[in-house]
């Protein structure tokens, strides 16, 4: 059974940092492209960042470029999202997802999803 479990969310002041983790079980992470999405209250789920299975290619939404960094540790079967210079508009539930194909911004291309972790940024 495949499971993706996010952790590391919480409450932080604007300008602060958080590091989200996504621990995978039941699949070999090195064979999957990984992505992070977020969903704010009353809004649709949106793409945040993605990393190709090889780790050589990353892709970011314009709104987080230069502030967020996605990385992976295949030995630990874990993907990370380092979030710096957080803004109130980053407040959302953050989800990680795994995809066998590299269509980073297309949520329908992802095969497995975690349950999400709440990130709240206060002003």
């Amino acid at each position: 059974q495949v499971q993706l479990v996010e952790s590391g969310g919480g409450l932080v002041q604007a300008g602060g940092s958080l590091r989200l983790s996504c621990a995978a079980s039941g699949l070999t992470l090195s064979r999957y492209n990984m992505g992070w999405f977020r969903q704010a209250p009353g809004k649709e789920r949106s793409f945040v960042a993605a990393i190709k299975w090889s780790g050589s290619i990353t892709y970011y939404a314009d709104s987080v470029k230069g502030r967020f960094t996605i990385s992976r540790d295949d030995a630990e079967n874990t993907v990370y999202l380092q979030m710096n210079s957080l803004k109130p508009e980053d407040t959302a539930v953050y989800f990680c997802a795994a995809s066998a194909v590299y269509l980073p911004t297309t949520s329908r291309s992802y095969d497995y999803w975690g349950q999400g972790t709440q990130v709240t940024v206060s002003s």
Side-chain angles (χ1 to χ4, degrees), residues 90-109:
D90 294 318
T91 295
V93 177
Y94 283 71
F95 301 88
C96 71
S99 174
V101 297
Y102 188 63
L103 294 171
T105 66
T106 305
S107 60
R108 289 177 296 174
S109 72

Side-chain angles (χ1 to χ4, degrees), residues 32-103:
Y32 286 85
N33 308 289
M34 300 299 295
W36 285 95
F37 288 75
R38 66 187 180 186
Q39 187 166 18
K43 295 187 177 181
E44 293 187 353
R45 191 173 299 186
S46 62
F47 169 76
V48 175
I51 185 166
K52 204 170 181 181
W53 64 270
S54 62
S56 61
I57 296 176
T58 57
Y59 190 72
Y60 298 92
D62 287 343
S63 58
V64 306
K65 204 172 292 183
R67 300 188 298 123
F68 291 11
T69 302
I70 187 171
S71 61
R72 61 192 301 155
D73 185 338
D74 291 338
E76 295 293 329
N77 239 29
T78 301
V79 176
Y80 303 97
L81 185 68
Q82 178 67 43
M83 306 187 296
N84 299 328
S85 302
L86 282 161
K87 304 175 181 180
E89 51 264 43
D90 294 318
T91 295
V93 177
Y94 283 71
F95 301 88
C96 71
S99 174
V101 297
Y102 188 63
L103 294 171

